[in-house]
Amino acid sequence: MKNKRILIASWTFYPAWSYGGIARVMYELAAQYAKDGYEVDCISTDVFDNTTRHDKSEDTVDWVKIYYFKNLSNRLANKLKFPVPLGLKTRLKHNIKNYDIVHIADFRNVFNYQIYAQCKKHAIPYIVSPFGCVPYEMDAKFFIKKIFDLLWSKNMLKQAKYVTVQTQSEFDEVHKFWIKKENIKLIPLMVDYEKFKNLPARGSVREKYGISKDAKILLFVGRIHKYKATDMMIDCFFDYQKKISDSYLIIIGRDDGYENHLKQYVKELGIEKKVLFVWAIYYPENMNYYVDADIYFMAPSHREETSTASLEALACGTPSVVTEQADIPFISEYNAWSIVKFAREDIVQRLLDVQKKDSDSCKQLIQEHFDVKSIKNNFLELYF
């Protein structure tokens, strides 16, 4: 089976970490396949961050050959998550027949449509991992999503060999698209636990910001965007710090046009000295923040499914408190902390209930249920 050729199709990929967890997860998965002896290629786009494009058209990283296609507009890709790759269709027409399986990440976009169309034309089997992107939200892209679904994206799911989901709630959402239950496979999100075995010493972040060793630090890592319900996080922390005065909230992430609003809001609440904003940082630098934090905390109001950052925090031994919209399977069973309803009082109480870090339980949860070295085999069983 090792002579099988795998094509990973992800419009965000190495090294575009600012675009979130999909880029990291698909890279980790591809790298594991390559280490196991499979021939792995990846097609992606030239996105890098808010203002910059990736400067290479091809690269090889960890034995994975990567092809980057220039986007028609970096702004469209960055602000609206709408990649329009130039030249991709031509390459697919000539090369897609060389692959035994195609793994498509994300869901509704032109990049994925071109891949789906060529897979269908040349009878190449493919699987789709939507990463929580199936549900409709009442936002600016609601009608665009509806149009995409009418034209092709619903058929892309129906005709896939399998659709993989992270949680039971995502399973239910995908099933609403009339996808047969036997074609939906529940496979949790993943991290490479090996990278988190040698953690930095606790204290560097506290020393940097003048935070005492006994103070409580709540941490959020992700895009600073109104859809992340960052206002709710601020509100919950405002209540939390009334009960635990020696406490801080650190928000790490790229600004998607909402940071100034949040800074003004925390100033109005009078807690600007307790809420720290840090521009996006990535592995391994972010490990210092995970290790020094007492709780990883996120409270999205819309369905996101499992967050890569929450798994990284757990891998560093830091408990997570997240709302149901960002579910982490098995977390309560391991005393790694908790899933809570999207309600201010409930969230605050759950944060207050976390008395100490049970780091061993957090790490055990990741090792036993979310390590890429075991989860990759679940995908391989679907591929071939």
Side-chain angles (χ1 to χ4, degrees):
M1 296 294 286
K2 295 293 178 68
N3 60 345
K4 296 287 188 178
R5 296 194 67 189
I6 301 170
L7 178 63
I8 300 294
S10 179
W11 73 274
T12 64
F13 199 73
Y14 173 98
W17 308 139
S18 70
Y19 277 78
I22 294 177
R24 172 69 69 179
V25 166
M26 296 308 291
Y27 158 70
E28 299 285 8
L29 199 58
Q32 287 295 322
Y33 295 153
K35 287 178 184 177
D36 284 353
Y38 291 94
E39 189 171 347
V40 186
D41 290 350
C42 174
I43 49 175
S44 189
T45 70
D46 65 347
V47 294
F48 184 71
D49 60 23
N50 291 33
T51 58
T52 312
R53 296 173 183 258
H54 191 51
D55 60 358
K56 295 182 179 180
S57 60
E58 296 183 15
D59 201 359
T60 300
V61 181
D62 291 331
W63 302 286
V64 177
K65 182 69 175 179
I66 311 167
Y67 300 91
Y68 300 98
F69 291 87
K70 184 177 181 179
N71 273 299
L72 176 66
S73 166
N74 193 56
R75 182 176 177 82
L76 268 179
N78 183 269
K79 297 297 183 183
L80 297 179
K81 306 297 179 287
F82 197 78
V84 182
L86 303 177
L88 175 60
K89 182 178 179 180
T90 300
R91 177 173 180 82
L92 290 171
K93 285 169 62 176
H94 292 97
N95 293 279
I96 201 161
K97 297 187 294 293
N98 297 330
Y99 299 99
D100 297 286
I101 189 72
V102 178
H103 188 164
I104 302 173
D106 209 338
F107 187 30
R108 302 175 183 94
N109 56 62
V110 174
F111 177 88
N112 283 352
Y113 169 72
Q114 293 186 6
I115 297 159
Y116 156 66
Q118 292 302 316
C119 284
K120 182 180 177 182
K121 181 177 180 179
H122 296 283
I124 304 298
Y126 65 92
I127 73 168
V128 180
S129 297
F131 290 106
C133 293
V134 170
Y136 298 114
E137 302 293 340
M138 292 306 298
D139 57 20
K141 294 187 285 186
F142 175 83
F143 292 106
I144 295 176
K145 291 178 180 180
K146 283 285 190 180
I147 292 170
F148 268 51
D149 289 347
L150 285 171
L151 293 176
W152 65 270
S153 53
K154 188 174 289 188
N155 285 332
M156 182 179 81
L157 291 187
K158 286 183 177 180
Q159 295 166 14
K161 184 177 182 181
Y162 294 105
V163 179
T164 70
V165 297
Q166 304 167 54
T167 64
Q168 185 59 48
S169 62
E170 189 178 12
F171 186 105
D172 296 337
E173 290 289 347
V174 170
H175 183 50
K176 290 178 184 177
F177 270 57
W178 299 286
I179 311 302
K180 295 178 180 179
K181 288 186 176 182
E182 57 266 31
N183 289 346
I184 308 172
K185 300 298 180 181
L186 205 163
I187 300 178
L189 198 65
M190 70 210 83
V191 293
D192 187 354
Y193 182 66
E194 185 71 28
K195 293 182 176 180
F196 297 91
K197 285 185 176 179
N198 297 312
L199 298 174
R202 181 177 168 91
S204 64
V205 171
R206 292 170 182 268
E207 182 179 354
K208 179 178 181 179
Y209 295 105
I211 300 173
S212 72
K213 64 181 179 63
D214 296 320
K216 295 291 186 182
I217 295 179
L218 277 57
L219 175 68
F220 167 75
V221 179
R223 290 186 300 125
I224 302 176
H225 192 286
K226 63 180 179 180
Y227 294 140
K228 294 286 186 179
T230 36
D231 294 82
M232 173 65 96
M233 285 199 308
I234 300 296
D235 289 337
C236 291
F237 176 70
F238 179 73
D239 295 345
Y240 179 88
Q241 58 87 37
K242 286 182 177 179
K243 301 285 186 179
I244 301 178
S245 58
D246 194 9
S247 58
Y248 296 83
L249 172 63
I250 299 179
I251 297 175
I252 300 176
R254 79 176 201 199
D255 178 19
D256 269 11
Y258 208 59
E259 185 173 315
N260 286 337
H261 163 80
L262 289 183
K263 286 181 175 178
Q264 180 60 35
Y265 188 42
V266 299
K267 188 174 182 180
E268 291 171 4
L269 293 174
I271 55 173
E272 65 270 24
K273 293 183 179 180
K274 291 189 169 190
V275 180
L276 308 177
F277 292 87
V278 180
W279 184 254
I281 54 174
Y282 310 105
Y283 177 89
E285 288 78 11
N286 59 6
M287 293 171 67
N288 293 296
Y289 287 83
Y290 288 134
V291 168
D292 270 15
D294 294 283
I295 306 171
Y296 179 81
F297 169 44
M298 65 182 295
S301 57
H302 69 286
R303 181 63 60 185
E304 288 202 2
E305 307 308 335
T306 310
S307 155
T308 303
S310 65
L311 298 186
E312 291 179 343
L314 288 162
C316 290
T318 299
S320 292
V321 173
V322 300
T323 54
E324 294 170 329
Q325 290 79 359
D327 188 17
I328 304 172
F330 314 109
I331 189 169
S332 298
E333 300 171 24
Y334 282 76
N335 195 35
W337 258 78
S338 171
I339 311 301
V340 63
K341 292 181 179 179
F342 185 76
R344 182 169 173 172
E345 289 185 5
D346 291 349
I347 295 169
V348 174
Q349 186 57 55
R350 204 61 59 89
L351 291 169
L352 291 169
D353 287 342
V354 182
Q355 297 298 315
K356 64 177 182 178
K357 294 172 67 168
D358 185 350
S359 294
D360 290 341
S361 293
C362 295
K363 295 174 184 178
Q364 184 182 2
L365 168 63
I366 297 300
Q367 192 171 14
E368 294 183 359
H369 291 284
F370 297 97
D371 188 8
V372 68
K373 288 180 176 60
S374 57
I375 290 179
K376 67 175 182 184
N377 296 321
N378 297 338
F379 280 106
L380 288 171
E381 289 176 5
L382 303 184
Y383 289 173
F384 308 121

